[in-house]
Amino acid sequence: MNISIIINIVLMAVIIFGIAFLKKKRTSFTVRVLLAMAMGIVFGAVLQLFYGASSDVVKQSNTWFSIVGTGYVRLLRMIVIPLIFVSITSAIINQNSKNLGKMATQIIAILLITTAISALVGAGTANMFKLTAEGFEIGEKEQKAVENTEIRFDDFKSKPIQDQIVEIIPINPFYSMTGQGSSSTLSVVVFAAFIGIAAIGIRKSKPESAQSFAKFINMLHDVVMRMVTMVLRLTPYGVLALMTKMVSTSNFNEILKLINFVIASYVALAIVFIIHLLILAIFKLNPITYVIKAATPLMFAFTSRSSAGTLPLNVDAQVEKLGVSQGHANLAASLGTSIGQNGCAGVYPAMLAVMIAPMVGINPLAPAFLIKLVIITALSSFGIAGVGGGATFAALTVLSAMGLPVGLAGLLIAIEPLIDMARTMVNVSDSMVAGIVSSKLMGELNIDVYNGKIPYKENV
């Protein structure tokens, strides 16, 4: 093994032990996560400065760092499905939720409305920055990306949106629980809700069975939540490794070529995040409190670029720190991984549509174009719920529905990781806001917990 790689591994180990030492000193969890992110940025920048982003030393070093980073993400994904299943089932059973339909309707409505607003923000920002697809250079790498995008789109559009929505209903729920299906998360939500409703339905006819099943689910819930706590304790180390890899391997020359689009994307996403805070303020909830208490899941979403991977952190923050009821938190976080993603399915497709429109003779400022774009973007964010691929598939769906060429999605592949970080953070924020607002509307939000009058126990 190259001596440089050994040195890099030792340095990473030293940083990890340093963060572990801070835990023994009772440094707060949020501070440790922030510090880990900062150290990852610095360490990644140093690696790229010394060796170069595409060097073998950086590649080999990151394969070792991935034991921590990728391993942590895999652990999170491992507990996502069990967490969704037991949390939603136990919430329905324990609350005897007759308002499940109302709760789900409110959450989906919030997700879709904020996506429509996000699309309008994305379109407005693209127009403000005068973004256009005309300035993009198509080299060999970009051409291949365009071709791959168009091939993926051909496969995607062969399945109607109606079929994609129907696929949310699982034929084999146990297969969905393996996480293998493209709609596995939502399928587990549907199955868990059915089981919970069925358990409530037999309380009068078979009370002993209903009681025994409720005890079993609650016991399982306690065990799964303990697993969640065990994994969450590894968050600072996972963030450190993930951020190191991202910074050390980023092609900053490619980013500089598209810097205007990167800046515009971050401005649009920042505006959407501010809108989330304004929504909370409208419902008489302190937005600053939200930012402070939601910092950990938002930071991890930014680092990992995985809404599903952030789900355990998302639920934990909503319930323990923000006072959201268990049912609302789990349903909002689960649905938010696939429906109404403000960053990936709102801002991004709308910006691409505005950039491409002038090339086909359409005025991107025309009210008719903007109204159509907002409506299609909001509906498409639900329509792709059963399909993996995130922002790319959202962009393909919107561009196709608008009658625009889809190739631009492939041209932006070089900067995908950078803008996807902020997009994922906004996606997670939207699901958290949906949980908070729906819980408040139904009178199930613990205001004292939200405002910090009842201190939460930081068990990580």
Side-chain angles (χ1 to χ4, degrees), residues 183-248:
S183 58
S184 59
T185 301
L186 292 178
S187 295
V188 172
V189 171
V190 172
F191 182 59
F194 262 77
I195 287 184
I197 294 171
I200 292 174
I202 64 171
R203 280 181 175 170
K204 292 183 178 179
S205 59
K206 297 182 179 180
E208 293 183 1
S209 296
Q211 187 176 14
S212 297
F213 182 74
K215 287 181 178 179
F216 171 74
I217 289 295
N218 288 331
M219 175 187 67
L220 196 59
H221 179 267
D222 292 340
V223 173
V224 171
M225 291 310 297
R226 179 58 183 173
M227 289 170 58
V228 170
T229 300
M230 291 167 62
V231 175
L232 294 190
R233 288 175 176 171
L234 302 174
T235 300
Y237 316 112
V239 167
L240 169 67
L242 291 169
M243 188 58 74
T244 299
K245 180 179 180 180
M246 194 283 295
V247 175
S248 65

Side-chain angles (χ1 to χ4, degrees), residues 441-453:
L441 287 172
M442 295 182 67
E444 296 183 24
L445 181 69
N446 191 325
I447 299 296
D448 289 338
V449 172
Y450 185 96
N451 292 329
K453 294 180 180 178

